[in-house]
Amino acid sequence: MSEPLKHMYSVQFFEQLCPVLNEVIPNFNERRFVYDVFDTTWPDLELKQRTRQITLALGRCLPSDYKEAIELIIRLSNLLREKEKQQSYPYVFLPDFIELFGLDHFSLSMDAIEECTKFVSAEFAIRPFIIRYPQKTLQRMLKWSTHPNPSVRRLSSEGCRPRLPWAMGLPAFKKDPSLILPILENLKCDPSEYVRRSVANNLNDIAKDHPELALKIAKQWKGVNPVTEWIIKHGCRTLLKRGHESVLNLHGFNPKAKSSVKDLTLSKKVIIGDSLAFDFTFLNQEAKATLFRLEYVIDYLTSSGKTSRKIFKITENTFEAGTCIRFARKQSFKDFTTRKHFAGRHYLRILSNGKELAASEFFVC
């Protein structure tokens, strides 16, 4: 099992960071900074708590005047960017400093976020500003959507995602995402894949609450640019998994196409830590070559005794008329921090273009 992300803040990390802090911050007290970080609470802190602890320790080393402090944060960010040569998540405490101490200083903080996000994404830090200053912040983010730096352009989309994971919620955008659409419009043909992925994820967030709006956007963008086609497809992935007929049709998957699944076989008992093995035969019953999206669904038993559905793609392919092909797959039932498995009855289902064609129960123990 991989090491928890919080361990990226190792002793070696601070051995590399402190000389840079000493170079930027006048009268930097390394001993005090390290002691403030590694206090008695440190071993029990999770990732975001550790980030905030570093932010607070850094704040004690900086001038109390925010204007002076933020100038040093920008210098620090630029110097680290020169040394690292790429975006680096462990330094997320830099935009966190802006979020924590800069909310009353809009213009200074916006300028600082624009600079810092070139080195470490400020997608979490921008959200309190959106909530307090919605119009002014969105105007600035719209301007960022045409910025020459791709990391700044990405922030304009990623920072306003209605359902950004692990981030402060933006309930107003969940209710009405229309205010962020001009930003996505500016980015729909962006040359950077880094930016395009964010646009797709933003569209997918919108689709979860406003499927018809997401479909409308997808139709408007269809055929605009080859790079936009990927954004549309990835941005509609939740609706494709839900079997939304109009979205399936938009991407060439006819929900009414005739097909069948035969001889579904699977392990009837799975021990937690092992894998579920299953196989089946798929048949294209159309009289012509047809595009099919094949998926399997597992209804996982939860701790409350209810089920939680997860959908996994098998393939998207064009099958010739009468094609009969055998598929075999395995699904791990190993526990992770993000997913725990529970003993009891589960279900496996096979979908073709959004329609369930076969199902069978199995037991986890």
Side-chain angles (χ1 to χ4, degrees):
M1 188 178 293
S2 59
E3 190 176 59
L5 194 57
K6 67 179 183 179
H7 293 319
M8 66 185 181
Y9 292 129
S10 62
V11 172
Q12 291 75 21
F13 174 81
F14 290 98
E15 287 176 346
Q16 293 176 352
L17 173 64
C18 284
V20 186
L21 295 178
N22 189 57
E23 188 175 341
V24 172
I25 301 173
N27 304 314
F28 172 66
N29 188 330
E30 179 177 338
R31 183 182 180 87
R32 177 190 174 189
F33 173 71
V34 172
Y35 277 11
D36 281 352
V37 171
F38 292 103
D39 68 7
T40 55
T41 69
W42 180 261
D44 298 322
L45 299 181
E46 295 304 323
L47 175 60
K48 293 191 79 171
Q49 294 170 316
R50 289 188 175 192
T51 299
R52 180 53 57 91
Q53 179 127 319
I54 298 168
T55 302
L56 291 169
L58 181 61
R60 296 184 193 104
C61 298
L62 291 168
S64 57
D65 180 82
Y66 182 72
K67 186 176 186 299
E68 294 179 24
I70 206 62
E71 287 175 355
L72 295 176
I73 288 290
I74 292 172
R75 282 180 56 195
L76 180 59
S77 176
N78 289 338
L79 183 57
L80 286 166
R81 181 156 60 104
E82 288 175 12
K83 292 178 180 295
E84 296 283 339
K85 307 296 183 185
Q86 60 184 356
Q87 286 259 325
S88 186
Y89 178 79
Y91 298 94
V92 70
F93 54 83
L94 297 174
D96 189 57
F97 179 91
I98 304 169
E99 174 186 343
L100 185 59
F101 296 105
L103 205 51
D104 294 329
H105 308 272
F106 179 80
S107 295
L108 286 173
S109 295
M110 288 298 102
D111 290 344
I113 283 175
E114 182 176 329
E115 284 304 308
C116 285
T117 203
K118 296 172 184 177
F119 173 55
V120 54
S121 178
E123 64 209 53
F124 300 128
I126 193 68
R127 293 168 85 85
F129 292 90
I130 294 174
I131 290 173
R132 182 180 287 194
Y133 313 98
Q135 286 190 322
K136 286 201 299 183
T137 308
L138 280 176
Q139 285 173 1
R140 186 64 177 258
M141 294 174 79
L142 182 61
K143 185 178 178 182
W144 286 342
S145 69
T146 60
H147 197 280
N149 186 290
S151 294
V152 179
R153 297 198 304 275
R154 176 186 179 273
L155 176 63
S156 69
S157 167
E158 196 72 7
C160 64
R161 280 181 56 184
R163 291 180 170 271
L164 180 65
W166 307 297
M168 178 182 292
L170 296 176
F173 291 169
K174 289 181 186 178
K175 185 178 180 181
D176 178 15
S178 59
L179 291 174
I180 64 179
L181 297 186
I183 292 173
L184 303 188
E185 188 67 29
N186 281 352
L187 299 173
K188 69 178 185 293
C189 301
D190 199 275
S192 167
E193 182 184 351
Y194 185 49
V195 177
R196 296 196 301 271
R197 184 170 293 276
S198 176
V199 176
N201 287 335
N202 200 319
L203 182 60
N204 190 56
D205 282 0
I206 293 171
K208 292 175 182 178
D209 298 302
H210 303 276
E212 297 310 314
L213 175 59
L215 175 61
K216 180 182 177 182
I217 295 168
K219 286 180 175 178
Q220 289 173 346
W221 290 0
K222 191 75 174 169
V224 168
N225 188 301
V227 299
T228 312
E229 297 302 305
W230 182 89
I231 294 177
I232 296 169
K233 182 74 174 296
H234 200 60
C236 289
R237 64 188 183 275
T238 292
L239 298 181
L240 286 168
K241 287 182 177 182
R242 289 178 182 174
H244 192 293
E245 290 198 0
S246 297
V247 174
L248 285 164
N249 276 316
L250 180 68
H251 294 286
F253 305 107
N254 179 5
K256 296 180 181 179
K258 295 178 182 178
S259 61
S260 63
V261 164
K262 296 180 179 180
D263 303 323
L264 172 61
T265 60
L266 65 156
S267 317
K268 287 300 182 180
K269 287 188 178 180
V270 181
I271 297 172
I272 294 175
D274 288 346
S275 295
L276 170 73
F278 64 95
D279 55 272
F280 63 92
T281 299
F282 173 76
L283 174 63
N284 173 16
Q285 295 179 311
E286 290 290 311
K288 59 181 180 179
T290 305
L291 180 63
F292 285 100
R293 175 185 172 95
L294 299 183
E295 300 163 299
Y296 66 94
V297 177
I298 294 183
D299 293 327
Y300 288 97
L301 192 65
T302 66
S303 57
S304 66
K306 297 180 180 179
T307 56
S308 173
R309 171 168 287 203
K310 299 290 182 184
I311 303 176
F312 305 91
K313 187 170 72 173
I314 298 172
T315 188
E316 290 178 353
N317 214 333
T318 298
F319 295 90
E320 295 297 325
T323 293
C324 187
I325 185 168
R326 192 80 180 164
F327 289 95
R329 292 292 185 274
K330 285 186 177 181
Q331 180 64 33
S332 172
F333 274 75
K334 185 178 179 180
D335 281 342
F336 294 97
T337 7
T338 52
R339 178 182 293 173
K340 298 291 182 184
H341 298 93
F342 300 92
R345 188 196 307 268
H346 289 60
Y347 288 91
L348 170 74
R349 308 176 192 278
I350 308 298
L351 307 182
S352 170
N353 287 2
K355 290 193 304 184
E356 182 179 316
L357 297 185
S360 183
E361 69 179 17
F362 63 98
F363 290 85
V364 173
C365 51

